[in-house]
Amino acid sequence: RNENGNGSNCAVMRRDRLPSTRMNESVNLWSILRSNIGKDLSKVAMPVQLNEPLNTLQRLCEEVEYCHLLDTAANTHDPHMRMVYIAAFAVSAYACSFTRAGGKPFNPILGETYECLRQDKGFRFIAEQVSHHPPVSACHCESKNYTFWQDVRWKNKFWGKSMEIVPMGVTHLELFGDRYEWSKVTSCIHNILSGQRWIEHYGEMSIKHSTTTGDVSHCKVTFLKSRSGALNANEVEGMVTDSNGRVIHSLFGKWNEALYLGKPPSATCIWRANPMPEDHEQYYGFTQFAIELNELEEGLKALLPLTDTRFRPDQRLLEEGDIAGAEEQKERIEVLQRERRRVLQENNMTHSPRFFKRAEDDSWVSNGTYWDLRKDPGFSKLEIPVLW
Ligand code: PIF
């Protein structure tokens, strides 16, 4: 068990199971929603029972599970084929959500951070909660082949039977100087109050490619809305076009299963979702990659800043199946956060994120200090705010 960033290449043994199964939900979501009609739901403290033992910073990291597509893209010279792999990567980010309509991620505390160093996958990832109201999470992921960054913020629309989550912000990717940008589609949780919850994504994703010499290619991916009784659930369609708008490649598939290039029956599979772990239904519908995200390996403890999600006690207690303990800790941590906000307000101060800064276009980008500080002098030697 050694993947601590000190140059060791030892293989890491990761857990293949969460410590505890999900408990049956006994929350009356309707009574919570009813007493908050018209209110911004991100300002309502929700019972911990609605949560899964991961937070939104870790959910952003899940989007890079299929990063091998970016490595392939980086090694593909033809710009239109490269776009095919990038489109597959953008679609693959949704795969994990298929089994996850049951719970919501923890809302990170302002200043909470998360790192994920995966030498086996060739990337290092950091994320930070940069705003509390509205909740904004920023992340930055780099490898020898690419840099990927985004900041995410949602608008919730509660429709009674369902809830729409409209994401805002742009996803950025850089491959050897080439820039790609896209935004996310709308997600909808159906049967939010009763019955089996399920999740749907719909809308158009437009992936723009630009180089210093101008626009080269473009890809439009449509996430289709399901019609009841129809067999087209989770379908996506895509088109890669050149700078003249001519269609070069077409794509089709399902965001939860696979993406194909070409037309049936002679299509090539570009991406396929990994098989789900056994008993995943009892374990929050987590993929193997998700199971690994909140694992606190012995070797990591001394290296992480204390703001890292892995140290957050309420999320850890939920993971261990202690709902009452988790609820108590969640409330305690929220009180501490309100206290810090009050002190800032009284002193006419605003919070500044530690590892991210605002870019000219108002997006959040890494300030490039995380991994250097981790190495020298090390987070244990630095003053780190106490969040919990
Ligand atoms: C608390 O967050 P919760 C609230 O923000 C509360 O206002 C705040 O107190 P303060 C607390 O400190 C917070 O801990 C509420 C809200 C958070 C998100 C965005 O964790 C992601 O209690 C949503 O949650 C993605 O949750 C959902 O917003 C994907 O985390 C599924 O609005 C929601 C979610 C709506 C419920 C969906 C239920 C689905 C099963 O005093 O500082 O204001």
Side-chain angles (χ1 to χ4, degrees), residues 260-293:
Y260 299 88
L261 167 67
K263 292 249 180 322
S266 64
T268 320
C269 182
I270 297 292
W271 160 77
R272 185 176 297 285
N274 292 325
M276 291 300 290
E278 233 180 88
D279 302 336
H280 65 88
E281 296 90 350
Q282 281 105 284
Y283 290 92
Y284 297 92
F286 279 12
T287 61
Q288 177 55 38
F289 190 65
I291 291 171
E292 295 164 5
L293 289 172

Side-chain angles (χ1 to χ4, degrees), residues 40-56:
D40 172 3
L41 287 178
S42 70
K43 294 199 170 157
V44 179
M46 299 280 174
V48 79
Q49 268 196 55
L50 287 178
N51 287 8
E52 56 176 26
L54 283 180
N55 75 359
T56 39

Side-chain angles (χ1 to χ4, degrees), residues 1-5 8 12 14 117-120 297 300:
R1 280 185 174 249
N2 201 344
E3 194 179 65
N4 52 25
S8 161
V12 180
R14 295 176 200 282
L117 176 64
R118 293 291 299 239
Q119 283 166 348
D120 57 333
E297 306 147 46
L300 260 184

